[in-house]
Amino acid sequence: MHEGLDDSSVSAALARLIGVAIDRAGGWIPFSRFMALALYAPGLGYYASGRPIVGRMPASGSDFVTAPELSPLFGRALARQVAQALEASGSDEVWEFGAGSGALAAELLAALGPRIRRYSIVELSAPLRERQREATRAFADRVRWLDALPESLSGVVVANEVLDAMPVDLLHFDGAAWCERGIVRGEGERPFAFVDLPTTLAPPGAAALPAGTTTETHAQAEAFVATLAERMERGAAFFVDYGFPESEYYHPQRSQGTLMCHRAHRADPDVLGDIGAKDITAHVDFTGIALAGQDAGFDVAGYTSQARFLLNCGIGELMERGSLRARAEAAMLLNEHEMGELFKVIAFSKGLAGYAPLGFAAGDRRHRL
């Protein structure tokens, strides 16, 4: 065992597990495999840790806050969009992927009442399921949990900060060729290290990227959206996450990619340190997500900033009725220098000819994808 890791700790056990995976693969695994184990290894990965993870303040033991915890008006505004989509699809079921603390589910169920007959949560993390059960206890007769994407579904899908937590592959340009950056066993105090191997892969716009560029590709997130498109019979899906269209994501000035860790409400770029004790994320390439969904049968129904989406859904009116504190909290969802511009919303539909989601009534940016 390497120095700096308590042999009895979860991090040490997770490091051993990853080390075995590396050995079995011949000494090198792609970064996506490392990220999947670090986040999702049963009983050991970050999302299986049982820590609060999502919360408003570091004192709670949490590592980051998402929009539903920041302000209940996020869920109440989104509920208006969900209600319209349920009406358009003739459905009474909502599906949420990666429901976090359960705050969004509770708000949607409270706001929409009997309009939702069943609320299905697809959640891989057992500890988070328990938090979600507690948050939605008042609606227990309508909520169910699944641990995998069903073979078929209809209704309205919502997913807040899900795509950014899906494992990514890393590519590096050494000035002569693109390489895939993967993980090997390390030396000294660091249990793991990066090693680049030749690859035929290259990111979009590769010809314009300078030597030394390191960036991500999103095969798993794109495959997830494509599978959802194939299995959805009729309905709409709304993804909220931080990211950019392809032209901004793979811009020459973004030469070190977007990979980042989150712990105690602070960000750091050391993805090989404190494994299992902090989140690992990457921004979303929304162009790739849009194309993956479209190629698999979805219609791209809208794309805009979180601020514009929430304003279209009436959050301004909701803020007017709220207290000064409630308005200040909601403003963080809208302000450009906080969540309003970095976060985007992309909508898909299937079997809903001519459907125009209200969240994109003004400021639709599909032309930028």
Side-chain angles (χ1 to χ4, degrees):
M1 180 56 56
H2 292 273
E3 296 177 11
L5 284 177
D6 174 2
D7 192 62
S8 65
S9 72
V10 171
S11 280
L14 181 58
R16 286 193 292 270
L17 178 71
I18 296 172
V20 170
I22 290 171
D23 295 341
R24 288 177 176 171
W28 181 96
I29 57 173
F31 182 78
S32 56
R33 176 66 175 147
F34 169 84
M35 184 173 171
L37 291 169
L39 294 181
Y40 301 111
L44 297 174
Y46 174 76
Y47 283 104
S49 67
R51 296 172 57 224
I53 294 177
V54 184
R56 295 196 53 154
M57 301 294 289
S60 68
S62 62
D63 295 317
F64 56 87
V65 65
T66 65
E69 289 82 29
L70 196 56
S71 169
L73 300 191
F74 177 84
R76 293 173 199 171
L78 181 59
R80 296 183 173 186
Q81 175 62 88
V82 171
Q84 185 213 24
L86 287 170
E87 184 68 25
S89 62
S91 175
D92 55 10
E93 182 164 13
V94 173
W95 300 77
E96 184 176 0
F97 288 87
S101 68
L104 178 57
E107 286 294 341
L108 292 178
L109 283 158
L112 296 175
R115 189 67 189 81
I116 300 177
R117 175 184 58 85
R118 187 164 67 178
Y119 198 102
S120 298
I121 297 176
V122 181
E123 178 61 69
L124 300 178
S125 168
L128 286 176
R129 282 190 182 201
E130 291 309 308
R131 284 192 71 183
Q132 293 156 16
R133 280 194 176 89
E134 184 62 32
T136 60
R137 188 175 299 279
F139 313 99
D141 58 328
R142 284 183 275 161
V143 184
R144 65 167 181 167
W145 281 263
L146 300 87
D147 57 11
L149 188 65
E151 290 301 315
S152 65
L153 71 158
S154 294
V156 178
V157 170
V158 294
N160 182 63
E161 293 201 48
V162 170
L163 297 176
D164 68 85
M166 292 191 175
V168 297
D169 289 302
L170 283 184
L171 298 177
H172 178 75
F173 183 49
D174 64 10
W178 284 94
C179 302
E180 182 172 3
R181 177 158 289 181
I183 307 297
V184 299
R185 284 186 178 271
E187 298 178 356
E189 295 185 1
R190 301 283 282 182
F192 304 110
F194 289 119
V195 166
D196 298 341
L197 295 182
T199 183
T200 58
L201 300 174
L209 298 176
T213 292
T214 301
T215 191
E216 310 88 24
T217 56
H218 300 260
Q220 292 196 30
E222 291 168 9
F224 166 73
V225 171
T227 302
L228 180 63
E230 291 163 357
R231 297 186 183 184
M232 179 175 279
E233 296 175 356
R234 178 180 172 85
F238 301 89
F239 291 90
V240 186
D241 227 314
Y242 44 89
F244 313 98
E246 180 182 293
S247 61
E248 296 178 38
Y249 197 104
Y250 298 106
H251 192 281
Q253 293 181 354
R254 203 180 305 283
S255 61
Q256 295 308 301
T258 70
L259 206 58
M260 191 60 62
C261 298
H262 298 276
R263 185 179 190 180
H265 294 256
R266 294 184 178 182
D268 78 78
D270 183 13
V271 296
L272 301 185
D274 295 327
I275 299 158
K278 57 187 180 181
D279 196 16
I280 304 174
T281 75
H283 287 51
V284 177
D285 168 17
F286 280 103
T287 301
I289 294 299
L291 290 172
Q294 184 173 268
D295 289 347
F298 268 150
D299 293 319
V300 181
Y303 171 69
T304 194
S305 67
Q306 176 176 287
R308 175 51 60 186
F309 176 84
L310 292 174
L311 289 168
N312 287 335
C313 290
I315 196 171
E317 174 191 338
L318 296 172
M319 290 171 70
E320 287 177 2
R321 297 190 222 142
S323 65
L324 181 61
R325 178 176 177 177
R327 292 198 297 272
E329 291 169 344
M332 296 174 69
L333 304 174
L334 306 177
N335 292 338
E336 285 192 11
H337 64 282
E338 290 173 305
M339 298 178 75
E341 179 57 36
L342 178 60
F343 280 73
K344 311 295 194 308
V345 186
I346 190 168
F348 297 102
S349 64
K350 188 173 183 180
L352 307 180
Y355 174 56
L358 67 88
F360 309 89
D364 193 346
R365 301 182 186 177
R366 278 177 290 181
H367 62 285
R368 297 191 190 178
L369 289 170

